[in-house]
Structures are given as structure tokens and as C-alpha cells.
Amino acid sequence: MGGLRFEDSKIQINQFVTQDYNTKKYNNFFPSAFLTYEFNDETSISLNYSKRINRPRDRFINPFSSYSSNVNLFVGNPDLDPALSDAFDLGFLKKWRKITLNTSIYLNNTKNSFQVIRKERGDLINNIPVIINTPFNLASDNKLGFEFTLNYTPYKWWKLNGNFNYFSNKTDGSYTYIKTNNTTETIDLYNISSTWFTRLTSKVSFPYKIDFQVNGTYNAPQKTAQGKTIGVGSMNLALSKDVLKDKGTIALNVSDVFNSRKRIMDVNLAKVNSYSEMQWRERQITLSFTYRFNKQKSEREKPKREEGSEDF
């Protein structure tokens, strides 16, 4: 299969308080190609290529500060450009009676990749240096890695799904800025590092249409150009029961059971060391009821594509 997509984008930034007016207009073609060879019904190999774009979110281009604390600020950059990537993937799929293995080697070459730089503002609050976190476009970001996904069904009532992903990252670029005391500083962001993450899901189907699912993830530590991120593990639980002739479902979900899903960073600057933890959302417990009108559960899980619709 092959395809070609065209996009035309225009982003206008009008910040009246700071008198910051900026317009970003760009258009791009995005080709893609997918080649698959089937040796038989159980074994196949594939080679894929696609051009991708990553646009900056509104938070990344908003020049007003958001506060983690009075000495740790995040400031957006209205001059950010989108990041463009060439993505290559070589995959292999093999099926057995109870096991399905899907593995691949991938390469992503990205230009203008977003990088959050940590820098000293140049002043102190209570004798503590103020650190500014701001995104900018890095010269290049190259990622080479491999992953495999394993689906295993030891019994009809028990399904296991595991994923492992390992990759090496190479970034290249530098950042120059002027502190509040009018001194100039240049930060070298050349860095080579590797890391991995894994996910394991177990689903058990009990009698009386009761399902129980456990999902665990772990993100390994990773070295960055200005420090390192700390390894973090987390777990989710879910219990559900179908009722009312499969038209209704009662579900109990526990998100982040150990309240451990955080982004933990050690930042090492020229004269300042910083330790920070960020948590988007704390542990949540949700009890819900879903009722499906005119549709069975299997129909809801597999929506039909309408005639004349297109995939984008």
C-alpha cells in the first residue's frame, strides 16, 4: 500500500500583554509506503516508511509562565516550529496456536525536534537560583530501537499481553541565551543515551461474565543532556461485569494503584543541581455503568466503517 497526504497549516500567536505577534505558516507533503510479504497464514514480514509531523501544543508556544514553584518556571516559546520525522520500520509476525509474536526494528530521524532546555534565569529567590524550563527546536534527534509484542493465551479464560521496547537516542544541537545580568551562556545538548520500557497486561474471564484485568508498566532510567530521568513503575486494575443481557456493563477501575506514575528528574546545570517530580494525576478509583442502546457489546467494540468514509 502507498499514500500521499498534503497539509497546509497556519498558527497565529497574538499576545497583547507582551506585544508578541507571531505567525507560522507551513505546508508539507507526507508520503507513506507499506510492503508486506506473507510466507503463509502464520508468518509474514513487512517494511514500512512514513513521513510524520509533530506540532507544538498550545502550552509549548504560550510565553506566559506556569509555576511548579517560585524557583522552577515553565515558559513557552512562540517561535517553535513543527518537528518532521522520517520513520522506517522492519517487522516480523509469527503465529502459533496459543502465541502470537510481533517484533520490529525501527529508525526515526527527526529534524527540529522539541527539546525542553533548563537554564538559570540569573537571579535568586531566598538564595536559590531561579530555573526556567522552555522548549526550543533541537537540530536533530535520531532514534534506533527494537520492540516485540507477545500475545499468549494459555487458556480460553486467561490472556496475557507483553511488550518490550529498547532504543538508543542521539541528539545534537546547542542553545544560547542571555541571562538577566546580561551575561551570555551557551549550553551544548549533544547526547547519546539508551533506555527501555515494558508493559504487561493480564486478563482473566470468570464465570457469570466477570472480567478482571491487571496492567503494569515500567519506564527505565535515561540519561539526558542536562541530567537524567529516574525509572518509574505503575499499575492499573479493572473489574467489570456484563448485565442486562450484555447491554449493560458495570466497571470498577483503579488507575495508578501505588500512586507512582510520575516524571522524576535530576537536572545538573553548571552551577545548580535540581530534583523535581511531576505527576499529572493522582491515583483514581472510578465506578461506572454503561448501557448500550440497540447494540450488543461485540458490535460496540468493532465499529463498522461506513460506505464512502475515508481514513486519515
Side-chain angles (χ1 to χ4, degrees), residues 36-46 91-94:
T36 302
Y37 180 79
E38 294 184 353
F39 297 95
N40 49 53
D41 291 340
E42 292 79 29
T43 308
S44 65
I45 190 171
S46 62
F92 175 76
L93 175 66
K94 176 66 177 179

Side-chain angles (χ1 to χ4, degrees), residues 97-148:
R97 189 169 65 89
K98 294 184 177 182
I99 300 175
T100 299
L101 173 65
N102 193 347
T103 183
S104 67
I105 300 174
Y106 60 88
L107 171 65
N108 292 343
N109 182 12
T110 304
K111 301 295 184 183
N112 288 333
S113 175
F114 306 146
Q115 175 82 29
V116 176
I117 188 78
R118 278 86 184 175
K119 60 184 182 180
E120 299 176 58
R121 190 168 68 179
D123 58 333
L124 305 175
I125 295 180
N126 297 326
N127 293 321
I128 300 176
V130 178
I131 296 178
I132 300 292
N133 302 266
T134 189
F136 81 108
N137 290 115
L138 194 65
S140 65
D141 183 351
N142 296 304
K143 181 183 294 184
L144 174 65
F146 73 89
E147 70 170 332
F148 67 83

Side-chain angles (χ1 to χ4, degrees), residues 118-179:
R118 278 86 184 175
K119 60 184 182 180
E120 299 176 58
R121 190 168 68 179
D123 58 333
L124 305 175
I125 295 180
N126 297 326
N127 293 321
I128 300 176
V130 178
I131 296 178
I132 300 292
N133 302 266
T134 189
F136 81 108
N137 290 115
L138 194 65
S140 65
D141 183 351
N142 296 304
K143 181 183 294 184
L144 174 65
F146 73 89
E147 70 170 332
F148 67 83
T149 300
L150 190 68
N151 295 308
Y152 177 45
T153 308
Y155 305 100
K156 291 183 178 180
W157 50 269
W158 187 17
K159 295 181 179 179
L160 291 169
N161 175 272
N163 174 268
F164 178 83
N165 193 315
Y166 175 91
F167 61 90
S168 175
N169 229 83
K170 178 182 178 182
T171 59
D172 193 10
S174 62
Y175 183 85
T176 301
Y177 71 103
I178 300 175
K179 296 183 179 180

Side-chain angles (χ1 to χ4, degrees), residues 65-82:
S65 301
S66 61
Y67 289 80
S68 300
S69 70
N70 60 348
V71 294
N72 187 18
L73 312 178
F74 182 91
V75 180
N77 177 7
D79 200 39
L80 272 184
D81 291 319

Side-chain angles (χ1 to χ4, degrees), residues 282-308:
E282 293 186 342
R283 176 179 52 234
Q284 287 187 311
I285 302 176
T286 305
L287 180 64
S288 64
F289 172 74
T290 302
Y291 184 81
R292 294 172 286 278
F293 293 92
N294 301 321
K295 285 188 177 182
Q296 296 297 321
K297 183 178 180 181
S298 58
E299 295 176 329
R300 180 182 64 88
E301 291 179 341
K302 298 180 180 179
K304 294 181 179 179
R305 179 181 174 184
E306 297 181 0
E307 292 296 326

